[in-house]
Amino acid sequence: MSDHRSSNATAPRLPDDLGDCETIGPRFNYAQHVFTVNAHRAEKVAVTCDFGQLTYGKLDAKSRRIAGGLIGAGVRREERVLIFMQDVCDWPVTFLGCMFAGVVPVASNTLLTADDLAYVLTHSRSRAVAVSGALMPVLLDALSTCTHEVDLVLVSHPETSPQAHRLDAAGLMQAIKETGVSQVSDFGEWMPAQTSLSNAANTSQDSPGFWLYSSGSTGRPKGTVHSHANPYWTSELYGKGVLQMREDDVCFSAAKLFFAYGLGNALTFPFAVGASVVLMAERPTPDAVFKRWLEKKPTLFFGAPTGFAGMLASPNLPAKEAVALRLASSAGEALPADLGERFTAHFGVEIVDGIGSTEMLHIYLSNRPGDVRYGTTGWPVPGYAISLRGDDGQEVADGEVGDLFVSGESAAMVYWENREKSRETFQGAWVKSGDKYVRNADGTYTYSGRSDDMLKVSGIYVSPFEVEATLVQHTAVLEAAVIGVPDENGLTRVKAYVVVKDGAHVEAEALQAFVKERLAPYKYPRQIEFIKELPKTATGKIQRFRLRAANA
């Protein structure tokens, strides 16, 4: 599995291109697989969260009770259960319990507004909801306006509900029931009273396993349907194959479990090898992350460029000797070379940058531990094929910008009730990623931006990311986002939005000169606007469409 190069023309075949991976049989239940793999680790800690910890044995037992309880409550195979929970031990218990029963968990963004949550509830037609106490007010508002009926609501740690928000925990639970929900129960009290399900649902590797909703950076999120086999393949190909995750690793992900990247980092990858996971309910601020680094001693950390920038700018950045990291990972957006180099210089640890997507479940193009080329996204992950295509659909030559298509076993099945978008994205064996890339002479790939973010200036394509990556090299700049705006003649010109570091100051002219010294003259930003923060999705991706709308 060490070959860096991958054909631009053909999709991978099973099992020849999958190295040492084992193929799986046609009957396959992902949760059953997890329990079987870790049956001999019953006493080992699988998950630690703010409220305690779970051994692998407890994870197995509680998940089976959830499975039995859902079936007892009338939730049938392939019906949906919405997980609207912060990252605590109840999250993986619910996720695996649903899949064990053949029920489909829907991982939901915890930062959704009540309106968006009502949309997801209605769109997924979820029969039950597992919700964190802290998020109950949002769920109540969503249920109050949602036309879809929910039968069961399980509240994880109801004592964490916001006391100042109209009602206390008990009052909120009663108010939720008054919206028409048949049963509202404390998760911790309901689960032990359920009859454990002994045998997993007789699912196949192609059975619907779970849904993830896209981040919604360009509008309403899309319900992305993944199979039972998909998390198996991402764990084998990336968790084991590239990251070389081990049983003695402690994994900590700033990206939350509802995010495809976080689901792999903090559930499917570690559970594939019997590693331990640290979960954190609160937002991944630099200080919150540092606290876990110092107290829980994770060996693998998973973050995003925005988070790494904030941590490196923090006065509380821990010393190398105070942490136990052996490797870091970045995804969500391309990692600027400067961030990776500074992180490695401080901690002596590489950041393995890669690109994945909700549609492919995890990373399919990545740097490798011990062979990191900062400024690039590395090579195709073995088991995946990459194709770069021009506007005419034909392969582009090395050095030319093309639309990235990817093929591999972890591709989603469909967007739920969205045939038009499904046809646009899932094209036979290939998935259109929506990203622009350049393949370099050494076989690595360099990010050029999202397809809908690319700019054409003076008839030449300009990558917003290239300009952004140059701006953040300036010592005063924390973050930057670049868009195209029309000038007085209707021609596209580059505009940059810049967030400066606390206490720093820089003039726009100085930044323009800084870029001119490093890039071709036509790429420098004609306009620079300083703002306090960039608009982003909950997963940290910059919402450039909001910046474009502000200039319309």
Side-chain angles (χ1 to χ4, degrees):
M1 300 180 70
S2 60
D3 184 11
H4 285 166
R5 299 183 69 85
S6 175
S7 169
N8 268 6
T10 59
R13 296 180 296 113
L14 279 175
D16 299 348
D17 293 340
L18 297 177
D20 298 328
C21 297
E22 296 180 3
T23 56
I24 56 179
R27 310 313 301 174
F28 181 78
N29 182 286
Y30 174 71
Q32 176 66 69
H33 170 72
V34 168
F35 301 154
T36 301
V37 165
N38 295 295
H40 65 290
R41 301 186 180 98
E43 299 305 315
K44 183 181 178 183
V45 173
V47 187
T48 299
C49 75
D50 299 341
F51 298 97
Q53 61 185 31
L54 281 178
T55 62
Y56 273 103
K58 291 286 188 183
L59 177 68
D60 183 325
K62 289 188 174 186
S63 297
R64 289 173 188 265
R65 287 191 179 276
I66 290 292
L70 290 173
I71 291 174
V75 181
R76 296 171 296 185
R77 181 167 165 172
E78 296 184 10
E79 290 186 321
R80 272 75 65 190
V81 172
L82 189 76
I83 302 179
F84 188 52
M85 283 195 289
Q86 295 173 323
D87 282 17
V88 296
C89 291
D90 290 343
W91 206 108
V93 166
T94 304
F95 185 82
L96 293 175
C98 286
M99 294 186 75
F100 192 77
V103 172
V104 178
V106 177
S108 183
N109 184 335
T110 56
L111 298 179
L112 291 180
T113 63
D115 176 64
D116 285 338
L117 183 61
Y119 168 79
V120 170
L121 276 169
T122 302
H123 185 249
S124 66
R125 297 194 288 276
S126 294
R127 289 284 307 281
V129 178
V131 60
S132 288
L135 302 174
M136 278 200 295
V138 181
L139 177 62
L140 176 60
D141 288 346
L143 289 171
S144 299
T145 60
C146 178
T147 57
H148 171 68
E149 293 184 3
V150 174
D151 299 323
L152 171 67
V153 171
L154 300 175
V155 184
S156 172
H157 300 285
E159 72 279 2
T160 63
S161 67
Q163 300 297 314
H165 191 287
R166 296 184 298 175
L167 299 167
D168 60 13
L172 276 169
M173 291 175 75
Q174 179 58 35
I176 286 173
K177 193 167 185 178
E178 290 172 359
T179 64
V181 177
S182 303
Q183 182 182 358
V184 181
S185 297
D186 181 324
F187 187 102
E189 296 176 356
W190 178 88
M191 184 267 300
Q194 306 309 305
T195 301
S196 178
L197 185 64
S198 300
N199 298 316
N202 186 26
T203 51
S204 78
Q205 56 180 301
D206 293 329
S207 294
F210 59 96
W211 293 13
L212 298 172
Y213 273 85
S214 64
S215 58
S217 58
T218 57
R220 283 288 197 188
K222 299 179 288 293
T224 310
V225 182
H226 279 284
S227 72
H228 271 262
N230 285 2
Y232 169 84
W233 287 118
T234 56
S235 298
E236 291 293 310
L237 297 174
Y238 197 70
K240 292 181 182 179
V242 173
L243 296 181
Q244 299 292 306
M245 194 174 286
R246 310 186 303 243
E247 183 178 2
D248 62 348
D249 275 320
V250 178
C251 304
F252 174 43
S253 176
K256 300 300 185 180
L257 285 164
F258 67 78
F259 183 27
Y261 178 50
L263 183 66
N265 306 338
L267 197 156
T268 63
F269 291 2
F271 289 178
V273 298
S276 297
V277 177
V278 175
L279 295 180
M280 178 177 70
E282 64 185 296
R283 288 180 56 251
T285 62
D287 285 345
V289 169
F290 298 157
K291 181 182 181 191
R292 273 71 182 185
W293 282 4
L294 297 174
E295 294 179 359
K296 306 300 182 182
K297 300 295 184 183
T299 57
L300 296 182
F301 174 71
F302 302 84
T306 298
F308 285 112
M311 288 186 287
L312 288 170
S314 171
N316 300 323
L317 186 70
K320 172 185 176 180
E321 296 75 21
V323 303
L325 298 177
R326 72 170 182 86
L327 189 67
S329 167
S330 180
E333 288 200 308
L335 179 77
D338 177 64
L339 284 180
E341 289 163 356
R342 288 194 286 129
F343 188 91
T344 298
H346 182 86
F347 288 109
V349 170
E350 295 173 318
I351 300 179
V352 179
D353 184 32
I355 184 174
S357 67
T358 304
E359 291 77 10
M360 294 303 295
L361 189 56
H362 212 276
I363 290 171
Y364 50 80
L365 183 62
S366 177
N367 281 273
R368 313 287 172 80
D371 194 4
V372 169
R373 312 279 176 92
Y374 286 129
T376 80
T377 316
W379 301 266
V381 172
Y384 294 92
I386 301 296
S387 173
L388 297 186
R389 304 175 187 178
D391 293 339
D392 59 1
Q394 300 301 307
E395 297 281 336
V396 300
D398 285 2
E400 295 183 8
V401 175
D403 288 305
L404 187 152
F405 286 73
V406 57
S407 180
E409 287 302 305
S410 64
M413 304 167 74
V414 72
Y415 293 133
W416 182 255
E417 293 188 340
N418 197 333
R419 191 173 188 179
E420 180 181 358
K421 282 294 184 181
S422 294
R423 283 177 165 175
E424 180 183 326
T425 300
F426 305 107
Q427 302 181 16
W430 296 94
V431 174
K432 185 177 183 180
S433 72
D435 294 294
K436 295 275 191 181
Y437 263 87
V438 172
R439 176 167 163 154
N440 306 310
D442 63 355
T444 61
Y445 289 73
T446 299
Y447 182 65
S448 292
R450 291 288 296 173
S451 298
D452 53 2
D453 288 333
M454 289 294 288
L455 311 178
K456 211 165 192 179
V457 179
S458 300
I460 305 173
Y461 274 119
V462 174
S463 164
F465 177 75
E466 182 183 22
V467 183
E468 292 163 5
T470 302
L471 284 165
V472 298
Q473 293 176 30
H474 193 285
T475 56
V477 176
L478 179 63
E479 292 182 299
V482 167
I483 62 169
V485 297
D487 66 9
E488 64 277 7
N489 298 312
L491 301 174
T492 299
R493 293 291 180 259
V494 178
K495 178 176 181 177
Y497 286 86
V498 173
V499 179
V500 298
K501 297 175 182 176
D502 288 343
H505 178 76
V506 63
E507 297 291 339
E509 293 78 8
L511 287 181
Q512 290 171 324
F514 185 83
V515 174
K516 284 182 182 179
E517 291 172 0
R518 290 159 175 78
L519 297 179
Y522 66 88
K523 297 182 180 180
Y524 89 91
R526 266 55 169 190
Q527 300 178 38
I528 293 180
E529 183 173 333
F530 295 97
I531 57 177
K532 292 184 178 180
E533 60 180 355
L534 299 175
K536 296 175 186 173
T537 68
T539 54
K541 294 180 182 178
I542 298 171
Q543 294 177 311
R544 292 177 183 83
F545 76 95
R546 294 191 181 279
L547 299 176
R548 288 193 291 267
N551 287 269

